[in-house]
Amino acid sequence: MLDKDKIQRINTLAAKKKSGSITGEELSELKGLRTEYLKNFRSSFKKQVENTKVIDPEGNDVTPEKVKKIQADKNKNS
């Protein structure tokens, strides 16, 4: 998870970019921070999906087979 200071810096730099007053160095910093943010977001989202169980209205487990396989592999490695 990205700390609040980095998220605030992303927002500050994005506002500067929008206003047209961003420097090349700041633009590079913004790109790096956004890359880090997306990496953390994707990792967190992947973990959430891998730990999800899908149940239909009748109570049947309809979790996709790909997710079930990932969950089974994780349990073997634990």
Side-chain angles (χ1 to χ4, degrees), residues 67-78:
V67 175
K68 287 180 182 180
K69 182 179 181 330
I70 291 168
Q71 291 170 344
D73 290 345
K74 277 179 131 181
N75 288 334
K76 281 189 231 177
N77 294 333
S78 295

Side-chain angles (χ1 to χ4, degrees), residues 20-22 31 42-43 46 52-53 56 78:
S21 63
I22 194 166
K31 184 177 179 182
R42 288 178 180 131
S43 173
K46 181 179 177 184
T52 299
K53 187 173 188 176
D56 71 8
S78 295

Side-chain angles (χ1 to χ4, degrees), residues 4-65:
K4 288 182 181 183
D5 292 335
K6 285 187 178 182
I7 293 173
Q8 180 62 39
R9 183 67 177 155
I10 290 171
N11 292 333
T12 301
L13 292 172
K16 284 186 83 171
K17 182 180 178 188
K18 188 174 183 179
S19 72
S21 63
I22 194 166
T23 66
E25 186 177 303
E26 289 172 329
L27 193 56
S28 178
E29 179 186 0
L30 177 60
K31 184 177 179 182
L33 288 169
R34 283 181 170 169
T35 299
E36 184 180 352
Y37 174 83
L38 286 173
K39 180 181 175 187
N40 286 325
F41 176 83
R42 288 178 180 131
S43 173
S44 175
F45 189 76
K46 181 179 177 184
K47 287 177 187 175
Q48 183 176 352
V49 169
E50 289 174 350
N51 291 312
T52 299
K53 187 173 188 176
V54 182
I55 306 295
D56 71 8
E58 289 83 40
N60 301 313
D61 183 357
V62 292
T63 305
E65 290 303 317

